Amino acid sequence: MSLRDIRERYGVSFERGTRVICGGRLGTVAGASNSHIRIKFDGRQISSPCDPLEVQPCNEGTANLAPQSAQDWRASA
């Protein structure tokens, strides 16, 4: 399944190279496989399949959506 097929089936539109957030992690769209969008998460060399409905475009104002680590959370409290 291609990115175009995913757009038609799920109503979400992504292109290769688009910065996205999935599961609180930042990454870049690398392509599609089966019914999933492949995301190359920051700091990783290999892309991972993600559900298209869980992937959100990363706008400059949403870059801080990644959850804080427990250590960071305790330090800010």
Side-chain angles (χ1 to χ4, degrees):
M1 183 174 274
S2 68
L3 290 172
R4 182 182 56 170
D5 295 333
I6 290 173
R7 180 179 61 242
E8 291 171 1
R9 176 180 268 185
Y10 297 102
V12 294
S13 180
F14 295 101
E15 295 180 8
R16 281 195 178 111
T18 302
R19 295 288 291 163
V20 295
I21 297 174
C22 182
R25 298 182 294 169
L26 291 169
T28 304
V29 174
S33 65
N34 299 321
S35 61
H36 291 84
I37 296 176
R38 296 205 57 94
I39 307 295
K40 184 176 175 290
F41 290 105
D42 293 356
R44 303 285 182 162
Q45 292 184 356
I46 299 173
S47 63
S48 302
C50 297
D51 185 323
L53 299 177
E54 295 178 3
V55 178
Q56 299 176 348
C58 178
N59 299 321
E60 289 186 32
T62 61
N64 293 326
L65 286 181
Q68 294 179 328
S69 70
Q71 185 178 18
D72 293 340
W73 181 77
R74 284 191 295 268
S76 64

